């Protein structure tokens, strides 16, 4: 079954309207991309850090948001150094890390049902032929997908480490792929179940 990643709490972030959080996330990530300067990036990193502090999210939980993406970020860092320079590589990697943490903060402080309702409410003025409920579910699942993959990867890696196979890439990728395919089937069934006859 799909994992609920909501971390309960009574912070202002937990109480904030889901639609407002989604909009803020979109504006935040867009700003980081459009305004590629160090001051804006540092400000964004501080903003995300304050958000985790306000929501009382443990450091270990924040670290788990980044850990599965480490190899990807290392690869991006290396490519940027090769194509540009060290400073550019560091900037791009930190920007990606900040965006991942920001998205994880939204999913940790918002229930899946609230995300679906907020997106559906935002689509309420769309024409009748637009499947607002199905779009809302798909977008909410998409918001959940990255942190869920993160958790699945952590589970698979931990299980293979217990067998002494944590350094075997094939031993990790095969069960990871199987579980993600199963998850995709569950998502498809969830969307079908919400589709009116």
């Amino acid at each position: 079954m799909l994992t609920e990643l909501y971390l309960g709490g009574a912070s202002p972030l937990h109480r904030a309207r889901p639609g407002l959080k989604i909009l803020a996330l979109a504006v935040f990530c867009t700003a980081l991309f459009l305004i590629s300067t160090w001051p804006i990036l540092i400000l964004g990193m501080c903003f995300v850090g304050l958000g985790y502090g306000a929501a009382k999210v443990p450091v270990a939980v924040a670290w788990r948001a980044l850990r599965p993406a480490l190899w990807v970020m290392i690869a991006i860092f290396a490519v940027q150094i090769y194509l540009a320079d060290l400073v550019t590589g560091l900037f791009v990697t930190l920007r990606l890390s900040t965006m991942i943490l920001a998205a994880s903060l939204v999913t940790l402080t918002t229930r899946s049902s609230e995300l679906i309702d907020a997106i559906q409410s935002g689509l309420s003025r769309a024409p009748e032929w637009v499947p607002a409920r199905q779009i809302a579910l798909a977008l909410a699942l998409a918001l959940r997908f990255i942190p869920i993959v993160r958790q699945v990867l952590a589970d698979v890696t931990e299980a293979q480490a217990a067998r002494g196979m944590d350094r075997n890439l094939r031993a990790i990728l095969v069960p990871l792929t199987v579980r993600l395919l199963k998850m995709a089937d569950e998502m498809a069934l969830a969307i079908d179940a919400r589709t009116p006859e």
Side-chain angles (χ1 to χ4, degrees):
M1 296 181 63
L2 296 181
T3 307
E4 171 64 65
L5 298 177
Y6 176 75
L7 188 65
S11 70
L13 268 175
H14 285 85
R15 297 195 303 268
R17 294 172 56 185
L20 182 60
K21 285 188 277 189
I22 294 172
L23 179 61
L25 177 63
V27 172
F28 178 78
C29 292
T30 301
L32 284 184
F33 263 114
L34 295 181
I35 311 175
S36 299
T37 63
W38 278 102
I40 293 298
L41 177 58
I42 293 172
L43 182 63
M45 293 170 64
C46 292
F47 184 75
V48 172
L50 288 173
Y52 272 86
K56 297 181 179 179
V57 177
V59 175
V61 174
W63 166 244
R64 286 201 299 270
L66 286 176
R67 187 174 60 184
L70 281 180
W71 290 111
V72 175
M73 289 190 290
I74 290 173
I76 292 174
F77 180 67
V79 170
Q80 290 298 321
I81 291 178
Y82 177 76
L83 296 177
D85 52 44
L86 177 63
V87 175
T88 301
L90 185 61
F91 181 88
V92 171
T93 305
L94 288 176
R95 182 171 62 182
L96 176 60
S97 301
T98 303
M99 293 173 64
I100 292 174
L101 287 171
S104 294
L105 183 59
V106 172
T107 60
L108 286 168
T109 58
T110 315
R111 298 181 187 276
S112 296
S113 58
E114 294 174 340
L115 285 173
I116 294 173
D117 291 341
I119 297 171
Q120 186 175 347
S121 176
L123 294 171
S124 61
R125 296 185 180 182
E128 292 184 2
W129 54 266
V130 175
R133 188 170 181 80
Q134 286 69 42
I135 292 175
L137 178 60
L139 291 176
L141 289 174
L143 285 173
R144 293 287 181 183
F145 192 73
I146 292 177
I148 287 175
V149 171
R150 175 197 72 200
Q151 185 60 51
V152 171
L153 178 59
D155 292 344
V156 170
T157 303
E158 183 178 347
Q160 298 299 59
R163 299 181 178 92
M165 303 176 66
D166 53 314
R167 295 186 180 278
N168 187 329
L169 187 59
R170 183 177 180 181
I172 293 177
L173 288 180
V174 171
L176 176 64
T177 302
V178 171
R179 291 184 62 175
L180 291 181
L181 288 174
K182 182 179 178 182
M183 186 186 304
D185 286 339
E186 292 178 355
M187 289 184 178
L189 290 173
I191 293 174
D192 287 341
R194 291 173 175 267
T195 303
E197 298 291 343

